[in-house]
Amino acid sequence: MEKDCFLELLCEMIRMRPESRDIPAVNRVQRRVREFLTERGLFCTMEKDGEREILFAATAPGKVQDILLCTHLDVVPAGEESQYEPCIKDGSLFG
């Protein structure tokens, strides 16, 4: 896979503003990541925990995997509005 598609996804996620307190925005990011991973052949399942959607992704179907990596996609609010527009400086992504 080309790294450009991952960079594009990260930029898209920053612009979606998945602040922890904004559950609908966090859920939108979860669904976007599920779409991205499914398009690349991973097996994805979404579950609800109250209002929050939780994404499970694996290289094989089912929930019994040898290795599980769990991440969170929510963020604290940005200090400045400009931080929601990703930029690359000296090869590093900021946002």
Side-chain angles (χ1 to χ4, degrees):
M1 280 184 248
E2 289 190 30
K3 66 179 181 178
D4 289 345
C5 65
F6 292 98
L7 180 59
E8 289 174 20
L9 176 66
L10 287 171
C11 290
E12 184 180 346
M13 290 167 58
I14 292 168
R15 292 181 183 115
M16 293 174 83
R17 303 171 182 241
E19 296 177 2
S20 299
R21 66 178 180 232
D22 188 351
I23 295 172
V26 176
N27 289 343
R28 280 191 296 277
V29 169
Q30 294 278 29
R31 290 189 298 270
R32 177 63 185 106
V33 171
R34 177 188 62 192
E35 176 187 356
F36 180 87
L37 296 175
T38 301
E39 288 172 354
R40 285 153 181 83
L42 276 85
F43 297 89
C44 296
T45 302
M46 294 288 275
E47 294 192 7
K48 296 277 273 184
D49 180 12
E51 295 178 36
R52 294 186 182 275
E53 296 178 18
I54 310 299
L55 172 63
F56 294 92
T59 55
K63 287 184 171 181
V64 181
Q65 305 298 325
D66 291 336
I67 298 173
L68 174 65
L69 174 64
C70 182
T71 65
H72 68 90
L73 301 175
D74 59 319
V75 298
V76 297
E80 299 177 20
E81 184 68 22
S82 63
Q83 291 176 302
Y84 290 109
E85 183 54 42
C87 65
I88 298 175
K89 293 179 187 172
D90 298 323
S92 295
L93 175 64
F94 293 86

